[in-house]
Amino acid sequence: MRGFQRLPVNSYRTHHCAELRKSLVGQKVTLSGWVASRRDHGGLVFVDLRDREGLTQIVLDPQTLPAAHDLRSEFVIRVEGEVVPRPEGTVNSRLATGEVEVKALKLDVLNKSETPPYPLDEENVNEDLRLQYRYLDLRRPQMAHNLKLRHRVSKTVRDYLDEQGFLEIETPVLFKSTPEGAREYLVPSRSNPGLFFALPQSPQQFKQLLMVAGAEKYFQLARCFRDEDLRADRQPEFTQIDLEMSFIGREDIYCLIEGLLQRIWKTALNQDVKIPFERVTFYDAMDKYGTDKPDRRFGMELHDFTATFKSSGFKVFAGAVAAGGVVKAMNAKGLACATAGQIEQLTEHAKAAGAKGLAWIKVEGGTWKSPIVKFFSDAEKEALTRELKLEEGDLVLFAADQWSAACEVLGKLRLIVAGMLQKMEKLTLPKNVFDFFWVVDFPLIHFDAEAQRHMASHHPFTAPVAEDLPLLESEPTKVRGQHYDIVLNGVELGGGSIRIHQPDVQRKLFEGIFKIPKEIAESRFGYLIRALGFGAPPPHGGIALGLDRLVAILCGAESIRDVIAFPKNARAQDLMTGSPAEVEPRQLRELRIQTEIKALTTP
């Protein structure tokens, strides 16, 4: 265990509970901590004493220490005693201190505890209950481990970037509303009635301004805020490893982040990560896996059969091709056993992803079972068998639509099918395999059918790939952006881009491509455009990595809530403090705010 610098005088402890070993047998020690468990074995009382670092077994004789009878779970105690070897046959090999115990000579009850609302050593406790009593939940060894690992990762980030010449610079938390991105949290200004700040979704504009200011290399562990629906990997407030550099290109960012992740994995898991990471284009990721953040630890790649079914007797496929679309398929090996109900569920998932239905084929009993097989020619069947390597027990799933839609449908089904196969124990993901790679060459712009205008695929400050600039006005959706994502095992760890440094190009995108009225562009981003006109360093760019998500992967946690000290639940509520909550009418009057409905009471 890592040592600690000793305080000059400390009457509460000479050691932490995880430090005691056979080498200390015979020494007098003082320990302080919480009673994790108490066992009364007739003449002696055994207590597992827990502090942040671990456990030590304490042996107390109630004849000399009568307070031992009164000890209960989570009492805070101080014990003075002698380190002794455990009797033969009682060594606990699962515990770092399991070869020794402390024979108590003195016991002080420092503070009593009410009965905890749930046993802290129980695994399957309702999460809302854990969050309500988060200060107790954090005492659990796993949670303590997560917080310590998060600390080590944060320190590693700071040390590494300091070595690389970066300055840690804080940017404001009270910012200006820029509603082009995710939904924001608004903060009313009492000093400026009727006006609002917004909590930043990211420090994007400030870090570009720092580059204009000549900082050259900036970073911070930035708090970010987004008022959006929550999932396991989302929180209304979260932390990013945010950085920006001047006079660099994309390869400089790749090299820097690969070195950082290599250092983090070595520090946290003592595992060597090979660099450089593979570069995968956005098109290839979507075409093979149906997502721009694929989990490549299992197969099930998507295959293109557009040419095969161009003139097919199955009119659904032929019609999709005639309309400029594609026909794609994947082989869910071993899933021909799927029931009619499971096929129906897959169909509903496909429809939710935008498909009109789901075509499928089961390979069972040496035959192909499907309502669509009768429309296929022998050549089409042979092409499917060859390309998908079909064999007994396989399930083929199809998508026929425009390229992006077909890819996305099968990409979502691919993950669902992988989960089904894992539950059936027909698919096992390799442990301790970390598949890092970069996804590059994203489209700079996409057309939003609902808004009926072009919008930025990443954010509106991303620079176009230089050779695609001539397409900006004629075919904007074909322009690639200098945007890049770092992906690990199907999770986007972070993303960034090289930024636009020319004010005229930035104006052209805002007003000419994104159709943002000139006065609105000026109101929201005028200060940034003006700053770019004062010698912005070309090029400059950066990246933001999700610290919470990264630490959750290192800890093996299913949710980032397990690596955040005081997270919100899935309804964006803090159950411990009972927030969000109603405020006093006086506060609303001072802010010149009127409400039409009362805040909902926390259920």
Side-chain angles (χ1 to χ4, degrees):
M1 194 197 86
R2 181 168 56 91
F4 293 87
Q5 183 177 354
R6 300 295 176 202
L7 297 173
V9 177
N10 191 339
S11 62
Y12 288 96
R13 58 161 54 115
T14 58
H15 296 76
H16 281 273
C17 288
E19 286 186 274
L20 305 188
R21 300 291 188 274
K22 287 185 73 173
S23 60
L24 296 176
V25 166
Q27 287 196 26
K28 296 292 193 299
V29 297
T30 302
L31 304 176
S32 292
W34 289 264
V35 174
S37 68
R38 175 187 177 278
R39 302 175 298 281
D40 194 332
H41 288 185
L44 296 175
V45 172
F46 292 83
V47 164
D48 286 338
L49 187 65
R50 181 190 68 240
D51 64 14
R52 190 188 73 181
E53 301 302 322
L55 291 173
T56 288
Q57 180 169 281
I58 312 296
V59 184
L60 304 106
D61 185 348
Q63 295 295 322
T64 57
L65 301 171
H69 279 307
D70 301 323
L71 296 181
R72 296 294 182 268
S73 292
E74 302 310 311
F75 275 32
V76 188
I77 65 174
R78 172 175 53 193
V79 172
E80 295 179 19
E82 180 184 350
V83 179
V84 298
R86 290 202 187 193
E88 188 175 347
T90 64
V91 170
N92 185 349
S93 59
R94 293 173 298 176
L95 202 62
T97 58
E99 292 185 303
V100 298
E101 57 194 17
V102 174
K103 182 180 179 181
L105 303 174
K106 183 179 179 182
L107 168 66
D108 294 314
V109 177
L110 302 177
N111 210 350
K112 295 182 178 181
S113 170
E114 296 182 15
T115 302
Y118 59 90
L120 299 192
D121 58 355
E122 191 170 307
E123 292 296 323
N124 298 316
V125 178
N126 177 271
E127 187 181 41
D128 279 357
L129 187 61
R130 288 175 53 205
L131 293 178
Q132 184 180 352
Y133 294 93
R134 188 63 162 185
Y135 42 83
L136 296 180
D137 192 49
L138 292 175
R139 292 182 189 174
R140 296 192 302 120
Q142 182 59 52
M143 297 302 294
H145 166 268
N146 292 355
L147 291 185
K148 285 188 286 185
L149 190 141
R150 184 184 178 112
H151 159 74
R152 291 201 301 274
V153 169
S154 298
K155 184 178 184 300
T156 299
V157 169
R158 287 189 163 98
D159 290 345
Y160 175 85
L161 293 176
D162 178 67
E163 292 168 13
Q164 302 296 322
F166 281 77
L167 302 178
E168 184 170 6
I169 305 173
E170 294 178 345
T171 55
V173 171
L174 293 177
F175 185 42
K176 184 175 186 176
S177 176
T178 54
E180 284 292 303
R183 189 183 293 110
E184 301 167 317
Y185 283 97
L186 299 178
V187 181
S189 172
R190 181 188 59 80
S191 303
N192 301 275
L195 303 183
F196 293 81
F197 292 105
L199 301 181
Q201 300 177 37
S202 77
Q204 177 59 48
Q205 295 175 56
F206 282 112
K207 63 185 184 181
Q208 283 193 254
L209 292 169
L210 284 170
M211 296 304 101
V212 176
E216 294 201 11
K217 291 184 175 182
Y218 136 92
F219 88 97
Q220 68 173 317
L221 301 187
R223 298 295 287 171
C224 305
F225 307 85
R226 293 178 187 173
D227 184 10
E228 56 188 358
D229 295 333
L230 305 186
R231 300 196 298 269
D233 61 346
R234 296 282 177 89
Q235 279 282 293
E237 52 182 316
F238 55 96
T239 305
Q240 289 182 344
I241 304 169
D242 195 65
L243 61 88
E244 195 85 358
M245 303 165 65
S246 295
F247 307 113
I248 49 88
R250 283 183 280 180
E251 289 294 331
D252 298 293
I253 297 286
Y254 303 158
C255 182
L256 176 82
I257 297 304
E258 288 168 0
L260 173 60
L261 292 172
Q262 187 180 51
R263 178 82 66 87
I264 289 171
W265 252 251
K266 188 66 176 177
T267 299
L269 301 180
N270 194 29
Q271 182 160 339
D272 295 317
V273 169
K274 293 182 180 180
I275 57 175
F277 301 155
E278 183 183 353
R279 278 69 155 154
V280 178
T281 67
F282 168 80
Y283 178 86
D284 284 345
M286 291 294 297
D287 201 50
K288 280 187 178 181
Y289 303 102
T291 176
D292 58 9
K293 47 180 183 294
D295 189 340
R296 307 189 304 180
R297 292 174 297 171
F298 59 95
M300 246 183 289
E301 293 184 7
L302 314 187
H303 293 256
D304 193 295
F305 290 95
T306 305
T308 302
F309 290 101
K310 182 178 181 180
S311 303
S312 176
F314 186 45
K315 299 305 180 185
V316 173
F317 287 0
V321 177
V326 298
V327 177
K328 299 187 75 69
M330 70 175 183
N331 182 3
K333 296 197 79 63
L335 200 59
C337 59
T339 65
Q342 289 173 320
I343 294 290
E344 183 60 31
Q345 287 178 351
L346 290 175
T347 302
E348 291 305 313
H349 284 300
K351 290 179 179 178
K356 294 178 181 178
L358 179 63
W360 53 270
I361 296 172
K362 287 183 177 185
V363 183
E364 278 186 314
T367 62
W368 289 19
K369 299 178 181 179
S370 171
I372 66 173
V373 170
K374 60 186 176 184
F375 299 108
F376 288 0
S377 67
D378 289 341
E380 290 166 349
K381 292 178 182 178
E382 195 279 328
L384 288 169
T385 301
R386 182 180 66 254
E387 291 295 321
L388 297 176
K389 298 181 173 54
L390 293 183
E391 56 189 5
E392 180 69 19
D394 289 349
L395 173 67
V396 182
L397 301 176
F398 294 91
D401 207 330
Q402 296 302 303
W403 176 81
S404 60
C407 290
E408 288 174 10
V409 167
L410 286 184
K412 291 176 181 178
L413 291 180
R414 178 176 177 269
L415 295 179
I416 294 168
V417 162
M420 293 169 64
L421 290 169
Q422 282 180 277
K423 288 181 180 179
M424 296 175 184
E425 298 184 349
K426 293 186 176 184
L427 173 65
T428 302
L429 296 182
K431 294 182 178 179
N432 297 319
V433 170
F434 298 101
D435 179 30
F436 292 94
F437 57 96
W438 292 97
V439 178
V440 299
D441 289 344
F442 285 81
L444 179 71
I445 297 162
H446 71 276
F447 185 78
D448 189 301
E450 185 177 342
Q452 282 296 298
R453 65 182 179 94
H454 290 99
M455 301 184 75
S457 297
H458 182 44
H459 60 54
F461 314 110
T462 299
V465 171
E467 54 263 38
D468 291 352
L469 272 173
L471 301 172
L472 198 54
E473 291 188 12
S474 59
E475 297 181 279
T477 56
K478 292 186 177 181
V479 177
R480 292 168 295 164
Q482 295 193 55
H483 167 206
Y484 33 79
D485 283 352
I486 180 70
V487 177
L488 169 63
N489 295 354
V491 175
E492 179 195 326
L493 286 184
S497 68
I498 302 299
R499 323 301 186 189
I500 296 169
H501 63 270
Q502 311 99 318
D504 56 333
V505 174
Q506 190 66 77
R507 284 195 186 93
K508 185 175 185 179
L509 278 168
F510 280 147
E511 300 169 21
I513 306 300
F514 302 143
K515 303 302 180 185
I516 300 174
K518 185 175 182 179
E519 62 276 11
I520 293 179
E522 174 63 27
S523 171
R524 293 177 183 170
F525 307 109
Y527 58 91
L528 177 62
I529 296 174
R530 283 190 292 275
L532 295 179
F534 285 91
H540 66 271
I543 194 170
L545 304 178
L547 178 64
D548 313 293
R549 195 174 300 173
L550 190 153
V551 174
I553 291 172
L554 291 168
C555 291
E558 292 185 5
S559 166
I560 64 171
R561 291 191 288 273
D562 282 340
V563 299
I564 298 173
F566 298 103
K568 308 297 186 290
N569 69 2
R571 299 179 297 279
Q573 298 168 328
D574 181 344
L575 299 182
M576 183 181 66
T577 64
S579 60
E582 295 182 2
V583 299
E584 294 291 329
R586 171 184 56 81
Q587 295 173 276
L588 295 177
R589 287 196 300 271
E590 287 179 346
L591 295 170
R592 312 286 179 89
I593 292 177
Q594 291 183 330
T595 59
E596 294 183 3
I597 58 172
K598 291 185 177 180
L600 293 175
T601 303
T602 302

